[in-house]
């Protein structure tokens, strides 16, 4: 039995396309400074560049500190997302524990390595201050038809993250990146979504931002429907994270509306809804302030 059969869900491309068009057509009607501030609070503000240094990461965290001083009515972003070797840098510099430390792991972005390496990378990230870990689904296993091995890798990293967090008296959030642009079909996206959720994901995430096709409204809609079906069967709320190519307020509003329409208001908070972004902040601030803003 497939995961989709187990959760009684089958993607319907025609229905999905019609629903997305309706959502897009109605998005402007809910656009407001308050909605854009909510979107701002959902951001995992991200820097994942080969040329990242401790200094450049500190500079990004410093901008969030300055945000609190210059725009006191703004919420904090949900987190700063960095490579795992920078976890301690963010932890030491952040202006508040409410600004979480997120790191990618599992040999991001390809996940092409030994499971032992992926597990140890997760452990080290937690030991050095990560509050949240974003791992990548092992597409080398999933696309080869070995769903159980792909699920086993997630379970192993979940267990390692939980054990490392327990030593510090903390619970660590696990996000699983599906890389939907490489999964291609709605059916694959649905299967990967259920696999990740069953294996312990607290969030399922669209993309790494490192491939040709990243977040799309279609992938987001299917993933949110899977989250809804999973919740109906298990009672466990899993979050959704859109990431990859979300660079302006209009994009953010589209994904916000997909989440709102499919999952409902109870999902629209930073505990269950996120954006992974490197360029969105200025556009959201511009939409709130109604002027051009170059803050980040």
């Amino acid at each position: 039995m497939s995961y989709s059969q187990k959760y009684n869900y089958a993607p319907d491309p025609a229905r999905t396309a019609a629903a997305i068009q309706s959502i897009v057509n109605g998005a402007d009607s809910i656009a407001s400074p308050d909605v854009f501030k909510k979107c701002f609070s959902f951001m995992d503000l991200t820097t994942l560049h080969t040329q990242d240094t401790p200094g450049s990461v500190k500079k990004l965290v410093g901008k969030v500190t300055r945000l609190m001083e210059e725009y006191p009515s703004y919420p904090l972003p949900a987190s700063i997302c960095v490579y795992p070797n920078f976890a301690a840098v963010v932890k030491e510099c952040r202006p508040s524990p409410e600004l979480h430390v997120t790191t990618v792991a599992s040999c991001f972005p390809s996940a092409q390595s030994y499971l032992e390496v992926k597990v140890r990378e997760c452990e080290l990230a937690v030991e050095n201050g990560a509050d949240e870990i974003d791992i990548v689904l092992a597409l080398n296993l999933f696309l080869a038809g070995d769903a159980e091995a792909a699920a086993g890798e997630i379970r192993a990293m979940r267990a390692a993250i939980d054990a490392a967090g327990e030593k510090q008296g903390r619970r660590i959030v696990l996000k699983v990146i599906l890389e939907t642009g490489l999964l291609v079909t709605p059916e694959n996206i649905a299967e990967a979504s259920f696999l990740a959720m069953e294996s312990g994901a607290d969030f399922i995430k669209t993309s790494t931002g490192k491939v040709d096709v990243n977040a799309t409204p279609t992938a987001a809609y299917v993933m949110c429907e899977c989250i809804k079906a999973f919740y109906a069967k298990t009672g466990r709320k899993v979050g959704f994270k859109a990431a990859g190519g979300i660079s302006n307020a209009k994009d953010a509003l589209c994904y916000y509306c997909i989440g709102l329409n499919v999952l409902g208001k109870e999902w629209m908070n930073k505990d269950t809804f996120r954006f992974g972004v490197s360029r969105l902040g200025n556009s959201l601030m511009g939409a709130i302030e109604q002027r051009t803003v170059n803050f980040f």
Side-chain angles (χ1 to χ4, degrees):
M1 178 187 293
S2 70
Y3 286 103
S4 293
Q5 288 172 319
K6 180 176 180 178
Y7 291 96
N8 193 30
Y9 173 76
D12 183 331
R15 180 176 57 80
T16 297
I20 290 171
Q21 188 59 58
S22 177
I23 288 168
V24 169
N25 290 343
D28 287 345
S29 67
I30 69 161
S32 69
D34 285 344
V35 167
F36 289 127
K37 282 186 178 180
K38 286 190 75 172
C39 290
F40 194 90
S41 75
F42 299 160
M43 292 194 306
D44 288 343
L45 196 60
T46 301
T47 181
L48 294 170
H49 302 298
T50 302
Q51 68 270 31
D52 285 342
T53 65
S56 67
V57 171
K58 287 178 182 178
K59 185 176 180 180
L60 179 60
V61 180
K63 288 181 180 180
V64 179
T65 301
R66 187 159 59 87
L67 176 84
M68 298 173 68
E69 299 166 355
E70 297 183 18
Y71 294 87
S73 69
Y74 278 51
L76 282 170
S79 79
I80 301 284
C81 180
V82 294
Y83 282 113
N85 48 305
F86 294 117
V89 175
V90 179
K91 183 181 179 182
E92 290 166 7
C93 298
R94 62 181 170 177
S96 166
E98 291 298 309
L99 179 68
H100 280 190
V101 180
T102 295
T103 80
V104 295
S106 74
C107 300
F108 176 98
S110 69
Q112 295 281 18
S113 191
Y114 302 102
L115 178 57
E116 293 88 347
V117 175
K118 299 177 189 181
V119 166
R120 186 60 183 138
E121 187 178 43
C122 290
E123 291 170 338
L124 286 168
V126 175
E127 289 167 10
N128 283 278
D131 302 300
E132 307 182 8
I133 305 284
D134 290 19
I135 66 171
V136 185
L137 173 68
L139 290 180
N140 59 325
L141 298 172
F142 183 85
L143 293 177
D146 197 345
E148 178 52 35
E153 288 210 353
I154 296 172
R155 290 194 296 267
M157 286 182 271
R158 169 89 266 179
I161 287 165
D162 287 346
E166 188 175 354
K167 289 178 181 178
Q168 300 182 3
R170 302 188 294 128
R171 187 187 184 280
I172 310 303
V173 172
L174 176 65
K175 309 191 198 88
V176 177
I177 306 166
L178 306 184
E179 202 68 287
T180 54
L182 299 183
L183 292 175
V184 181
T185 69
E187 290 78 14
N188 276 348
I189 292 169
E191 285 293 293
S193 295
F194 289 123
L195 180 155
M197 290 187 286
E198 270 205 1
S199 302
D202 295 308
F203 279 76
I204 51 175
K205 175 180 171 181
T206 56
S207 320
T208 62
K210 303 295 187 181
V211 297
D212 291 339
V213 177
N214 291 290
T216 66
T218 298
Y221 195 91
V222 171
M223 290 168 68
C224 286
E225 286 204 315
C226 290
I227 289 169
K228 186 175 181 179
F230 185 80
Y231 177 68
K233 191 171 183 68
T234 68
R236 187 165 78 85
K237 290 176 72 173
V238 174
F240 169 75
K241 180 174 175 178
I246 302 166
S247 60
N248 60 64
K250 184 176 181 180
D251 290 340
L253 187 63
C254 174
Y255 289 104
Y256 176 92
C257 288
I258 289 172
L260 183 64
N261 278 267
V262 177
L263 297 170
K265 289 182 179 179
E266 65 181 290
W267 251 267
M268 304 314 294
N269 61 78
K270 68 178 183 179
D271 292 332
T272 46
F273 200 92
R274 296 285 181 88
F275 295 116
V277 298
S278 58
R279 296 173 290 163
L280 179 62
N282 285 336
S283 183
L284 286 175
M285 292 180 75
I288 295 163
E289 302 294 327
Q290 290 296 294
R291 59 181 174 85
T292 300
V293 176
N294 292 303
F295 186 86
F296 289 103

